[in-house]
Amino acid sequence: MADIKSPDSSRRSERSRRAIFDAALGLVGEAGYQKTTIEGIAARAGVGKQTIYRWWPSKAAVLLDAYADLADQAAEAVGEVGAALPDSGDLAADLRFVLRATVDELVDPTYDIPTRALTAEGVVDAALCAQYVERLLRPSLQLYVDRLAASRERGDVRADLDLETAVEMFTGPLSSRWLLRTGPLTHAYADRLVDYALNGLAPR
């Protein structure tokens, strides 16, 4: 008689976790953060809400993990999980490459909708905002800081460069245009940000 294998609980848990993430991101994109509930997430995911509470203490914790997973999926798609920014020796080219990829992600509804909902809620929910910054935004910005630090060590940028401020010069305008929809988000715009940040506004 063939052996009867017991169900793989780890696979079942992973399926449930994935369903919960998909449900959370779907609901927050459709209804907004305030109207998204643990009950709603559980119903859409096809799990009991006790399953969610076994893994997460709150709605915010579910959504942050779901968003982090979404970001990991985006990185995996291009083989850059935990990877440093490219360093070809040409800072402008490397920054244009990364900002163009960021533009592509921000205009993709898969990422735009849940990101916009969480960002908007973070404006009024200081605790959620702090968690979002610490877990997701700061590590991402640190990759830029590290890339600029390498350029500073090689003498490619000024020696007294404040790295965090420099990063904000091109990531800040990009985020602002995306969030407030003040203009189109394009590769050409990303290229201009890099040009202006690196070369300034004075005549050349």
Side-chain angles (χ1 to χ4, degrees):
M1 180 182 293
D3 291 337
I4 299 176
K5 294 183 179 180
S6 60
D8 188 332
S9 60
S10 64
R11 288 186 180 180
R12 186 171 61 249
S13 294
E14 181 56 29
R15 284 196 299 269
S16 296
R17 191 180 298 269
R18 177 67 52 204
I20 290 166
F21 285 165
D22 290 345
L25 292 171
L27 285 171
V28 79
E30 295 166 15
Y33 179 83
Q34 290 288 354
K35 293 182 179 179
T36 298
T37 63
I38 292 292
E39 290 77 9
I41 294 170
R44 177 171 290 199
V47 302
K49 66 178 183 179
Q50 68 274 10
T51 298
I52 296 178
Y53 281 120
R54 185 165 65 244
W55 291 331
W56 295 280
S58 66
K59 173 179 70 175
V62 177
L63 290 169
L64 283 171
D65 275 358
Y67 185 89
D69 180 73
L70 187 67
D72 287 344
Q73 289 182 58
E76 285 176 5
V78 293
E80 295 180 356
V81 177
L85 264 61
D87 189 347
S88 67
D90 184 335
L91 179 60
D94 293 341
L95 290 175
R96 284 195 294 268
F97 175 82
V98 174
L99 284 190
R100 285 182 173 199
T102 302
V103 165
D104 291 341
E105 184 174 310
L106 289 175
V107 299
D108 183 343
T110 302
Y111 306 101
D112 171 76
I113 294 173
T115 305
R116 192 174 292 281
L118 284 173
T119 301
E121 184 59 25
V123 172
V124 296
D125 185 336
L128 178 65
C129 182
Q131 293 178 59
Y132 172 79
V133 168
E134 194 61 32
R135 289 189 54 194
L136 299 169
L137 184 58
R138 199 178 305 283
S140 176
L141 294 177
Q142 186 60 44
L143 297 178
Y144 287 93
V145 170
D146 293 343
R147 177 62 183 86
L148 288 177
S151 288
R152 187 173 63 182
E153 290 175 7
R154 289 195 292 258
D156 295 337
V157 296
R158 51 193 286 183
D160 63 343
L161 183 71
D162 182 271
L163 299 174
E164 286 77 11
T165 300
V167 169
E168 291 173 349
M169 290 179 67
F170 41 84
T171 60
L174 189 67
S175 298
S176 176
R177 177 174 282 212
W178 165 76
L179 182 62
L180 300 177
R181 296 187 174 98
T182 55
L185 225 56
T186 63
H187 286 181
Y189 176 66
D191 291 350
R192 286 197 300 274
L193 289 179
V194 173
D195 179 35
Y196 293 171
L198 294 183
N199 300 310
L201 304 179
R204 287 182 278 172

